[in-house]
Amino acid sequence: MILHELLSYELLRVIWWALLGVLLIGFALTDGFDMGVGALLPFVGRTDVERRVAINTIGPVWEGNQVWFILGGGAIFAAWPPLYAVSFSGFYLAMFVVLAAFIVRPVAFKYRSKRDSANWRSIWDWALFASGAVPALLFGVAVGNVIQGVPFHFTEDLHTIYEGVWYMKFIGLLDPFSLLAGVVSLAMLVMHGGAWLVLKTEGTVQARARAYGAVAALVAVAGYALAGVWLAYGIEGYRIVGDYLTDGPSNPLHFEVAKTATWLTAYSARPWIAVAPALGILGGLLTFLGLRAGREVSTLLFSKLAILGVISSVGLTMFPFIMPSSSDPGSSLTVWGASSSHLTLFIMLVVTLIFMPLILVYTAWVYKVLWGKVTEADVTENSHSVY
C-alpha cells in the first residue's frame, strides 16, 4: 500500500493516458503492417503463388498482433469508462464495420486455399483486401472526428446523450477533414505493409511492394502535412478555463471548457511536443528513401518511427483532452475527469507491469523464430499448407 500512496491519482492518470497511447501505437506498429499487406494484396500479387507469398508473410503473426487491439479496448473500458461509453456509442456503426472486417480476415485466411479454384480464391483475396483497407481508413476517420470534437453531452446524472439521428452516426463521421485523416491512416499503413513485404519477400513481389510502398509514403507525408496546416487554420481547439484539480473526482462536468482558435496553442505552451510531428514527417521521408534504395530492416524501422510520430502527435497536441465535445464543450472528456478510481488505476498498473514484459518477450521470441524471407519455393513446395 506504500506504493499506492506514492503514486498519486494525478500521476496514475498521466501514466494510463501514456499507456493507452502505447497500446494504440503497439497495435499500429504490429497489426498495422498486417492491414497494409492486406490492402496491397491485389496489387503486389498478380498470380496465386505471388499472393500466397504475401499472405504467408503475415499469416503466422496476425493473431498475436491483433491482441494489441483487444488490449487497447480493454484499457479504455477499465481505465477510461466514459471514453469507452461515448466512443462505442457514437462510433457504433463504424466500430461494427471494423469488427466485421476483423471477423472476415481469419475466415479468409482459413478458407482461401480450401478449394483449387481461381474464382474462389479471388473472392477471399478481395476479402483480405477489404479487411485491411477498410479498418485502416476508418481508424483515421475516427481520429479526425475526435480532433474536431464529437457531438455528445452528459446529463446531470452523467447519462450520455449522442446528438443526431442513428444513420448520422456513420455518415456524419465522413466530413472532409476526417476523410483526409482516414487517407493519411490508410497510406501510412500501406507504407508500413510495403516495408514489411520488402523485408519478408524477394523478387517480383518485393519490387512491387517497394514501388507501392514508396508512393504510399509520399501520400502519407503530404496528407499529414496538409492535415497539420488545416489544423492550424481551420479546426478549433479546446482548453480548460479557470482553476481545476488534477487529482479530484472523475466527473467531466466539474471542468469548464471553452473552444480556442486552434489546437496548435499547445505547441507554444509545450514546445517540446513538436518532436512528435517532426518524427512523423522525417520517418515517412526516410521510409520513402529506404524503399527507393532497396534497404530492408532500416526501412521497416523508419516506417515504425513515422507511425510513432504521427499517432503520438495527436495525443500530445490534444492533452489533457481525450475526447472533446463539439456540441457541449463542458462535457468534454479529459485525463483529469474521465478516469477510473485511484485504486482501480493502481491495480491495473501492477497487473500491466507483470504481464506486459511477458507479452513483449514472447512477441520478440515469435518474430525471432519466424525471421527470414518467404519465397515462392516455400509456398509451392507446401501446396497444401493453410495459407
Side-chain angles (χ1 to χ4, degrees), residues 101-343:
F102 282 165
I103 291 171
V104 166
R105 178 163 60 176
V107 177
F109 277 129
K110 300 300 182 183
Y111 274 80
R112 79 169 302 277
S113 293
K114 296 298 183 183
R115 292 178 57 187
D116 189 13
S117 165
N119 289 336
W120 172 268
R121 294 186 175 188
S122 178
I123 290 171
W124 292 115
D125 288 341
W126 283 106
L128 286 171
F129 165 78
S131 67
V134 172
L137 177 70
L138 290 182
F139 285 138
V141 168
V143 170
N145 276 269
V146 170
I147 291 173
Q148 296 178 93
V150 180
F152 72 93
H153 70 273
F154 290 106
T155 62
E156 291 184 358
D157 59 355
L158 295 183
H159 177 65
T160 307
I161 304 296
Y162 193 92
E163 310 291 346
V165 293
W166 68 270
Y167 58 83
M168 287 302 293
K169 291 186 178 183
F170 184 77
I171 299 174
L173 301 178
L174 305 177
D175 62 89
F177 179 80
S178 297
L179 286 173
L180 174 61
V183 169
V184 172
S185 174
L186 176 59
M188 183 173 67
L189 296 188
V190 168
M191 171 192 73
H192 199 39
W196 174 256
L197 286 173
V198 167
L199 176 67
K200 295 291 290 182
T201 64
E202 57 186 23
T204 304
V205 173
Q206 184 190 62
R208 291 176 185 149
R210 184 181 298 117
Y212 285 113
V215 172
L218 290 181
V219 172
V221 170
Y224 181 60
L226 176 59
V229 173
W230 198 333
L231 199 65
Y233 296 101
I235 304 294
E236 288 184 310
Y238 294 77
R239 62 185 177 89
I240 302 176
V241 297
D243 297 327
Y244 59 92
L245 295 175
T246 57
D247 58 353
S250 283
N251 186 336
L253 300 181
H254 282 183
F255 298 86
E256 183 181 353
V257 177
K259 290 189 176 183
T260 185
T262 172
W263 277 115
L264 299 190
T265 54
Y267 290 86
S268 60
R270 305 188 301 275
W272 61 271
I273 67 175
V275 172
L279 288 178
I281 293 175
L282 178 63
L285 292 175
L286 289 175
T287 303
F288 169 76
L289 295 175
L291 288 168
R292 296 287 294 177
R295 291 189 291 270
E296 298 181 359
V297 176
S298 61
T299 299
L300 184 64
L301 294 177
F302 290 143
S303 179
K304 292 179 182 293
L305 181 67
I307 292 173
L308 170 65
V310 169
I311 296 179
S312 61
S313 70
V314 176
L316 291 170
T317 300
M318 294 181 60
F319 184 86
F321 291 91
I322 50 180
M323 182 171 286
S325 169
S326 58
S327 58
D328 178 22
S331 294
S332 298
L333 301 180
T334 68
V335 171
W336 317 125
S339 72
S340 293
S341 68
H342 189 181
L343 180 60

